[in-house]
Each structure stands twice: as structure tokens, then as C-alpha cells.
Amino acid sequence: NNNNNNNNNNIVNAHHAQLTQRLSQYTRGSDRRQVLRSLMDPHLLPRIHALKSVWVEDIAAAEREAAGERAALNGVKFLQVKNSVGSGSDRPDARSTPVDSYFLQTLREICGHMCDMDGVDADPMALYGGLLLRLSRSVSERDALEVVTRWCCGKGELVALPLKRRHHHNTDNYHRDPSSASASTSTANGSKLAVPIDLELYVESGNVHAKVTMAHELGVYRRTDLEAHGLKRELSAWVALVLVSQTPSDQVSAAKKLDKMQYEMLASNKFTHPKPWIFMDADVVERINFGTGSSVRMLHLSVPEDKNSGYVKKWDY
């Protein structure tokens, strides 16, 4: 088994090195077609990546964040939020103010009903809390971005960032009320809303199971394009950190520094919606058995042709 694992790791590392070299070469040559072809090759870029389990220290913050989410719960869509605290960080008590939504109210009710079913031995609030941990978009997005950054940035010629959405405009905006924009996917600040969370809950053999799907829209930019937008200082350490992040012993510390740089760029006034060179979709899917405590969390990557064609239509990002 160890030999098989080592062989698999060697193959993955070889593909990673090959992809890195191609992305670096083709980006420097401004060959977008070959960059796309390389990213769409499943032999070079694996479509599925294993992720570590979610850990969120502040469950109240996770609940505030989830209250601002649009979602589909067992196929029923919840596209509005109620009882918003209003102006987010403008309110000094915003972080301590309880926030609720129709989605979370319904989720608590379903947790209660499932725990009351014959043969199910589970605590409804423990079940609800366990689900809240999996509904943190900020944690999910960062985990997806870390993988895409490690695989898809060449030798620092490319920069992976989330497409700017409503929740990126302010760290407290997760719990703002989007009901005024419920009929469309945009809000007053001009940013689209994130793709709704998809949550499936069911009971099987006396155990409560869940499947949580969190879809993230990412952009891969040429570093030189972002520098031309005035972000040269913010990107001064990018190349060095990307190269360091590809060394296993330094991967964790480099990833944290890259993460900090990425979200500082996203929040910068200089980041005025530059168009990505490449669009990517990253879906984090977690399956949980609350009876046994087991879970599997995977990242599914794709390079959607409709967003990247550019010739068929102008993609509204």
C-alpha cells in the first residue's frame, strides 16, 4: 500500500510540475488557447481534490454568515433573508446581534423532525451546529482558492482570485438583507450574489446524512494585467510565494501569506472588476453521516467552456 501511495504521489507531482511549466510558458507567450487546453486536460489538472474537514471556531459567526446565504434545502429554494441587522459593520453591536433567516429557521425545524423519527438517536441542536460548520462560505472559498492557487498559477505568472461577489464588499456583509435584489442576481453595489448553497438532508438506517454543495466562481488573471491595474505593490511578493508554496515543507506558511495577499487585493479600491483571463468553477462537496461521525469533503474543479469561449457571448461576470 505504501508503495502504491508513493507511486501515486510521484505521478501527481509529475503532472503538477508539467502543468506548472506549461502554464508558465504559455502565459509568458500570451497563448490563452494553450493555457485553456492545459487546464482542461484532466491528466494535468485533476478534477477532484480531497479537502480536510471543516473547522470553524466561532459557531455564532458561522450562523451569522449562513443567515445571509441563499440556499436550496432538499430542493426548496430560499432566496431571501429576513431580520437583517441592517448596515453590517456600521452597527457597533452587529457582531453580537442575533441574525436569522427563513432558511435557518426551516433547517432547525427539519433537524428537530429528523431527530424525533423512530430509530434516530441524535440531538437536534448538535445536528444543527454540525451543519452550520459546513455552511461557512468564507472557509469553503478559501480552501478551494488554496488548491487552485497551488495548481493553476504557473511560476507566479498567473493569479487566482474569487470573482468579486456581494459578500466580498465587507466582511460583515454576509448577513445583509438581499431581499431588495431577490428578483435578480445583483445588488445595489453592482456585484452579483454568490451561487446558492445546496443542502440535502435525509435519514438512512437510523442515521442522519447530509450532502452540502458550495459552488465558488473563480478567476485566473495574468499577473501583469493586475499590475497594470495598479496592484504592482500588492503583488511584489507573489512570484516568490507561489514558488515557495510548491515546496511541501513550506506549503502551509506560504499558503497563508498568499491567502492574505489575495483577499487584500480583492478588497483594494484598485481592484475595479478586471476581467479574468480564465474562468474556473470550484465546487466544494461534503457528505456527512452524523450517526457515525464520518465525512468526506472533496473539491471539484472545472473550466467551463461557456464562460471561457468569449466568442459566443460576452459573459456577465
Side-chain angles (χ1 to χ4, degrees), residues 183-244:
S184 69
T185 56
S186 298
T187 56
N189 60 31
S191 287
K192 294 171 66 177
L193 295 166
V195 178
I197 298 170
D198 188 76
L199 173 58
E200 297 176 29
L201 272 177
Y202 59 96
V203 173
E204 188 176 90
S205 302
N207 293 326
V208 179
H209 295 253
K211 178 186 175 186
V212 182
T213 302
M214 189 90 72
H216 304 286
E217 299 170 290
L218 306 179
V220 178
Y221 302 79
R222 285 186 293 188
R223 191 189 73 251
T224 52
D225 290 343
L226 293 179
E227 288 173 345
H229 268 76
L231 292 163
K232 192 166 186 176
R233 182 183 61 79
E234 288 83 350
L235 284 162
S236 58
W238 180 262
V239 174
L241 283 173
V242 167
L243 294 175
V244 169

Side-chain angles (χ1 to χ4, degrees), residues 246-262:
Q246 294 169 359
T247 305
S249 59
D250 299 315
Q251 205 170 78
V252 174
S253 61
K256 288 181 179 178
K257 292 174 183 176
L258 286 167
D259 176 274
K260 186 172 183 289
M261 289 178 66
Q262 286 162 311

Side-chain angles (χ1 to χ4, degrees), residues 60-74:
E63 187 171 37
R64 286 197 300 272
E65 187 176 347
E69 289 286 351
R70 301 186 303 160
L73 174 55
N74 287 355

